[in-house]
């Protein structure tokens, strides 16, 4: 099947989408399946018999590709934070220290 991915999401997740299109096995996602009320749990309902509720443990393990994306986002966020500090905070700190070099804090 096919699906439509909007341009913004495509730009954000291009490496992951390309890996899926290339047929790369993505650890942590390769053995996925349905979760929730529509999932098959033996009785076809996704829930236990009677008043019992079936409980499942889901373990998410990021793939190497996802770890790379997380590192990219973290680096970008850190850079933007430092740029903001340099632009907005540091000039005031420098001015305050220049005006009162013996001040504390």
């Amino acid at each position: 099947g096919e699906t439509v991915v909007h341009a913004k999401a495509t730009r954000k997740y291009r490496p992951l989408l390309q890996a899926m299109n290339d047929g790369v096995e993505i650890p942590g996602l390769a053995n996925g399946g349905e979760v929730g009320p529509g999932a098959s749990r033996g009785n076809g309902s996704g829930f236990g018999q009677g008043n019992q509720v079936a409980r499942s443990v889901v373990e998410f393990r990021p793939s190497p590709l996802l770890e790379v994306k997380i590192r990219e986002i973290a680096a970008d966020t850190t850079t933007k934070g430092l740029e903001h500090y340099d632009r907005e905070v540091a000039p005031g700190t420098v001015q305050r220290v220049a005006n009162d070099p013996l001040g504390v804090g």
Side-chain angles (χ1 to χ4, degrees):
E2 294 184 12
T3 188
V4 175
V5 179
H6 297 282
K8 182 178 179 182
T10 299
R11 283 190 300 276
K12 186 174 183 178
Y13 298 107
R14 180 169 297 283
L16 179 61
L17 294 169
Q18 189 61 51
M20 288 190 289
N21 282 335
D22 292 345
V24 173
E25 184 174 317
I26 302 172
L29 301 179
N31 296 321
E34 295 180 62
V35 176
S40 175
R41 305 259 325 147
N43 64 2
S45 70
F47 293 103
Q49 300 291 335
N51 292 332
Q52 289 184 321
V53 176
R55 300 194 189 280
S56 297
V57 175
V58 179
E59 181 180 341
F60 292 94
R61 289 176 279 147
S63 69
L65 192 59
L66 180 58
E67 288 179 2
V68 167
K69 187 63 178 175
I70 290 169
R71 289 179 200 280
E72 287 175 1
I73 292 169
D76 183 52
T77 301
T78 300
T79 300
K80 287 179 181 176
L82 290 171
E83 289 171 348
H84 171 78
Y85 180 86
D86 288 345
R87 190 177 54 255
E88 304 293 331
V89 179
T93 302
V94 170
Q95 186 65 38
R96 190 176 70 245
V97 171
N99 291 339
D100 186 11
L102 300 178
V104 177

